[in-house]
Amino acid sequence: MKSTIIVVMLIISMNSFAQDEYPIIPKTGPSMESFIPKGWKVIMQRAGDLNKDGLADEAMVIQNTDLKNIIANEEGRMGGDTLDINPRMLIVLFKTSGGSYALAAKNVAFIPEQNDNERPCLLDPLLESDGITINKGLLKIQYKDFYSCGAWEVYVADYTFRYQNQKFELIGYDDYSMHRASGEEFSSSTNFSTFKQKSISGGNVFSEEKNKPKKVWKRIKPVKLLDLERLTEDVLNAFLVEIWK
């Protein structure tokens, strides 16, 4: 649970731009390019059927390219010379039988920026991981919390969404942590549809002698599933706190 809260707060707090600073995305368009605002670029794109109609839908992360958001790192701090804090946006598109696309979901509060002005040693949480994937009708988003300096822990968080009830609902959460010095590991996998959680502690990637993983299953509290479009820091943290009471 500790690593869960750390990862969530780190990822969401990185997004420092207000919702009204983002461009309007059209509801429909003839191509994927028609959903990309001027001055923005695609940094990740995945295809796959998300609504079970046999057509290849699209999920992409786009990023602003405004030069004013590429700032100098403070003198004396570790990390790169410059930090790119341009905002990002997740866009999910359903393909229609006519070949055009319809906006299925978007989120500006759940996608971390490339760099973090408060944590200059943090590598890109999205591009250091698998990022977004589509597999067996599920949309997955993965973030990796890895520092090039100043921290020993590595955290990986996976969020699984399924299109149901006319929205993308969060049905699963997996997290993994490892200490780069000691090799200690912890992982958990939570299914919000079946209300079950598996946690594994006591693992060690460096020492077979110390590698004594212990698996524990438990029931979690049933709660209303979260909608990807409405996912924010406050909503997500309240959701996790409620489940692990």
Side-chain angles (χ1 to χ4, degrees):
M1 178 177 172
K2 180 180 179 182
S3 62
T4 297
I5 300 300
I6 289 176
V7 172
V8 170
M9 293 186 68
L10 169 62
I11 291 170
I12 306 303
S13 66
M14 290 174 60
N15 196 315
S16 57
F17 295 84
Q19 297 260 353
D20 56 7
E21 294 182 41
Y22 290 81
I24 296 174
I25 304 300
K27 297 294 185 182
T28 60
S31 65
M32 290 182 295
E33 289 74 20
S34 59
F35 293 87
I36 304 172
K38 183 179 180 180
W40 289 62
K41 65 179 180 181
V42 177
I43 62 169
M44 185 170 290
Q45 181 178 330
R46 300 289 185 266
D49 186 5
L50 289 167
N51 57 352
K52 300 179 181 180
D53 63 356
L55 301 175
D57 306 310
E58 299 283 345
M60 58 182 174
V61 176
I62 61 174
Q63 177 177 314
N64 198 353
T65 59
D66 194 334
L67 294 179
K68 74 178 183 182
N69 292 323
I70 301 177
I71 61 176
N73 193 6
E74 293 179 15
E75 186 175 354
R77 289 203 305 179
M78 294 185 291
D81 294 333
T82 61
L83 303 173
D84 190 341
I85 60 170
N86 270 295
R88 290 171 169 174
M89 185 188 308
L90 171 67
I91 298 175
V92 184
L93 306 173
F94 284 157
K95 191 170 186 179
T96 71
S97 57
S100 61
Y101 291 89
L103 180 64
K106 65 180 177 69
N107 188 290
V108 300
F110 194 63
I111 304 298
E113 298 144 21
Q114 179 176 330
N115 298 124
D116 183 352
N117 194 25
E118 299 299 320
R119 306 171 183 88
C121 289
L122 179 67
L123 302 183
D124 190 329
L126 185 69
L127 298 187
E128 286 294 316
S129 69
D130 290 339
I132 55 173
T133 58
I134 297 176
N135 186 33
K136 296 181 179 180
L138 300 176
L139 173 66
K140 294 189 176 185
I141 304 175
Q142 183 185 88
Y143 300 127
K144 185 176 184 179
D145 171 11
F146 184 93
Y147 287 78
S148 62
C149 53
W152 286 104
E153 288 81 12
V154 177
Y155 299 102
V156 180
D158 286 272
Y159 303 86
T160 301
F161 299 87
R162 180 167 59 208
Y163 187 70
Q164 56 190 26
N165 301 316
Q166 303 302 306
K167 55 191 173 184
F168 285 93
E169 293 185 325
L170 180 66
I171 63 168
Y173 172 80
D174 298 88
D175 74 316
Y176 168 83
S177 64
M178 188 269 287
H179 195 283
R180 289 187 283 171
S182 67
E184 295 175 353
E185 294 179 289
F186 173 83
S187 65
S188 72
S189 180
T190 308
N191 188 316
F192 301 128
S193 296
T194 61
F195 317 121
K196 294 180 180 179
Q197 181 191 62
K198 175 181 69 176
S199 61
I200 302 176
S201 59
N204 194 293
V205 295
F206 298 149
S207 172
E208 283 297 326
E209 183 179 346
K210 296 180 180 179
N211 186 36
K212 299 178 180 179
K214 180 181 178 181
K215 184 187 300 183
V216 175
W217 284 91
K218 71 175 185 178
R219 297 281 295 179
I220 62 172
K221 182 178 180 179
V223 292
K224 183 179 179 181
L225 299 181
L226 298 182
D227 178 1
L228 173 60
E229 281 212 299
R230 293 171 174 79
L231 211 50
T232 66
E233 176 183 0
D234 291 341
V235 169
L236 187 57
N237 283 338
F239 178 77
L240 293 176
V241 169
E242 183 67 19
I243 281 178
W244 282 300
K245 275 184 177 179

